[in-house]
Amino acid sequence: MFLKALILAATATAVMSVNISCDSLTLQSLLTLVQHQMTTMEQQAASIQSLQSQLTALTTSSLKQDHALDKVKASVTDVKKTVMERLDTFNAQLEAKANMTKVAFTAHMSATGVNVGVNGPFIFDRVITNIGDSYNNHSGIFVAPCDGVYVFSFIMINDADAPTIHAQIEKDGEVLGVGTSDGLGAYNKWDDGSALVTTRLKKGDHVYVKRRGGGTRVYGSVYTNFSGFLLVADV
């Protein structure tokens, strides 16, 4: 009996020892698992923090890019405005120049027998064309509206038996061309004289037809006329 009890006690002790050993192994496994999970969570937390830092950096970079884009848009708007303003100014100047360079006139005398006087310009008072309004039919003077090369012509007819008359195209006193209408009685009582010239003018220069010598009478109407036009404007 004693031996049996001893064996039972030894067996119970062994069983208890085995249970304790099993419990220790289980606890150790749990601790290892917990440590592994904590390590994993720490790694995940570090990864999340890194992602948050990257997101913050991306957000900051995006804001900077948006700010830079806004500056570029504002700069483009300013450039566009400047270009449009310059384009409007250029178009206005171009239109003004186009209007200014449209210069042409023709005028004749409204009366037939006309005494042109001794010193003053011939008065071609009947205007046919006056594009640019540069010819004055009261003074007989053309005033250049811009710098450039111009063409002028005049023709006159002697008034029947009137003496020979000489006339010239002048630019502020400078003789540009001369025409002569002879008075030769019955042989050539309606002789004509004319001149055609090209000249460079400055804005404000005066051009007109003036008696040069001889008689003072011409046969007017459309037979005695004065014309001019701008050939090319200076750039």
Side-chain angles (χ1 to χ4, degrees), residues 109 115-124 135 139-142 152-156 165-181 193-195 206-218 224-226:
M109 296 177 176
N115 189 326
V116 296
V118 177
N119 297 316
F122 289 9
I123 307 299
F124 301 90
Y135 173 73
S139 66
I141 297 174
F142 172 85
F152 296 97
S153 69
F154 88 94
I155 186 170
M156 64 181 177
I165 180 172
H166 309 279
Q168 59 197 27
I169 300 176
E170 284 190 11
K171 178 181 73 175
D172 291 321
E174 176 188 354
V175 179
L176 302 178
V178 177
T180 296
S181 178
S194 63
H206 294 180
V207 177
Y208 45 86
V209 177
K210 184 178 179 182
R211 174 182 172 274
R212 181 180 179 86
T216 60
R217 293 190 63 82
V218 298
T224 298
N225 57 71
F226 181 33

Side-chain angles (χ1 to χ4, degrees), residues 195-208:
L196 174 67
V197 299
T198 60
T199 184
R200 181 175 297 279
L201 299 180
K202 293 292 186 180
K203 181 179 179 180
D205 284 348
H206 294 180
V207 177
Y208 45 86

Side-chain angles (χ1 to χ4, degrees), residues 1-17:
M1 290 296 289
F2 178 77
L3 180 58
K4 184 178 180 180
L6 183 62
I7 292 172
L8 289 173
T11 301
T13 301
V15 169
M16 289 179 64
S17 177

